[in-house]
Amino acid sequence: AGEVAPASRRHGPPFGTQEAGKMPALHSPEELLRQAEAFVEQEKLGAAEKLLSQARRMNPQNASVRYQLGYVLFRQRRLAAARNEFQAMVKMAPPAFHSRYFLGKISRLERRAGEAVTWLEPVVTSGAPVPEAAHELGRAYLDAGQPDKALETIQAGLRQTPWDDTLHYTLARIYQRLGQPELAEEEFPIEAGGKPGERRALKLVVVLFRIAALDERAGDFGELGLKDHH
């Protein structure tokens, strides 16, 4: 038990498709957790939170409940409450790399880049299979004014997943910070095989989108597809 994949990325609801007001009696934290995962699958985050909070009251030491509650709170953009759950996970079930990833992400979103680096560095250096960890650490380094470390981290991530457009975009930002606009231009996500004019148009769309207010927030609260690393 512990850090398992959010239910929204599993194959089908694990406990049926009951509505929030039409559930059978649930008598244990495990039953509450399973139903909460079904609600996450259905994007009923409020209903999931209620069940997970009840399960936490029944057994505060249930690591799976605490982790899933943190995930649901994060999805609801309730960062302070989510941070409490993930910090509890770090104490209860070390090394808790997935929880450390979320804590780093929360710190970066709250403009505490140095703290984000502290949470994220052990995740990346461990080699734990935590999607987006290298990207998040690279962004944290960049926000902390360490573009050289950001460059090293993102390039290492691209050696693992060279198709990842988010890594290419962040690499472009790093090159811009380092005063290398030509390299930055090469790294903006483009559609492979398109005509030059089409690629330039797509680049412009990407640039305009990223410059907009969504630049720092778009995707930060989406589904993260975490895998169990135990």
Side-chain angles (χ1 to χ4, degrees):
E3 297 180 334
V4 297
S8 53
R9 285 297 181 90
R10 296 179 186 168
H11 297 290
F15 202 73
T17 56
Q18 295 92 341
E19 295 294 331
K22 301 179 181 179
M23 296 185 297
L26 303 175
H27 302 291
S28 71
E30 291 73 23
E31 289 176 323
L32 290 164
L33 174 62
R34 291 177 63 200
Q35 180 59 58
E37 290 172 338
F39 284 145
V40 173
E41 177 75 19
Q42 300 165 47
E43 292 294 318
K44 297 176 181 177
L45 300 180
E49 181 203 341
K50 290 179 181 179
L51 294 183
L52 291 167
S53 296
Q54 181 182 346
R56 181 184 59 185
R57 288 192 295 270
M58 295 171 68
N59 182 6
Q61 301 305 311
N62 187 310
S64 295
V65 168
R66 301 297 295 267
Y67 177 74
Q68 293 291 345
L69 179 57
Y71 172 74
V72 167
L73 291 167
F74 180 85
R75 290 286 308 281
Q76 293 176 311
R77 305 191 181 197
R78 295 168 57 188
L79 300 185
R83 182 171 57 246
N84 290 338
E85 298 305 315
F86 293 128
Q87 286 176 336
M89 276 294 301
V90 171
K91 294 179 180 179
M92 291 167 52
F97 288 129
H98 291 122
S99 294
R100 287 178 178 274
Y101 164 81
F102 275 109
L103 287 165
K105 195 172 185 70
I106 289 169
S107 295
R108 190 185 62 77
L109 290 169
E110 294 179 336
R111 311 292 184 185
R112 297 195 301 274
E115 182 179 297
V117 167
T118 299
W119 284 118
L120 291 163
E121 277 184 337
V123 181
V124 174
T125 58
S126 73
V130 182
E132 298 288 325
H135 178 231
E136 198 64 34
L137 179 58
R139 294 180 72 179
Y141 278 137
L142 192 61
D143 292 347
Q146 301 180 66
D148 292 328
K149 285 190 173 182
L151 178 62
E152 179 182 346
T153 301
I154 295 300
Q155 287 177 332
L158 280 168
R159 285 194 289 271
Q160 300 296 321
T161 55
W163 56 84
D164 189 333
D165 282 349
T166 61
L167 289 173
H168 283 285
Y169 170 69
T170 299
L171 183 56
R173 290 182 61 199
I174 295 168
Y175 282 138
Q176 287 175 329
R177 186 75 61 87
L178 292 172
Q180 302 181 46
E182 296 82 6
L183 293 176
E185 173 69 12
E186 293 178 5
E187 292 298 332
F188 279 115
I190 61 174
E191 187 175 278
K195 297 178 181 179
E198 293 172 346
R199 291 200 298 269
R200 285 194 296 272
L202 183 57
K203 283 184 183 181
L204 178 60
V205 171
V206 171
V207 171
L208 291 175
F209 176 79
R210 298 293 188 171
I211 289 175
L214 293 176
D215 177 51
E216 292 299 323
R217 294 283 178 162
D220 279 325
F221 298 94
E223 296 179 28
L224 302 169
L226 303 183
K227 297 178 181 179
D228 185 9
H229 67 269
H230 296 297

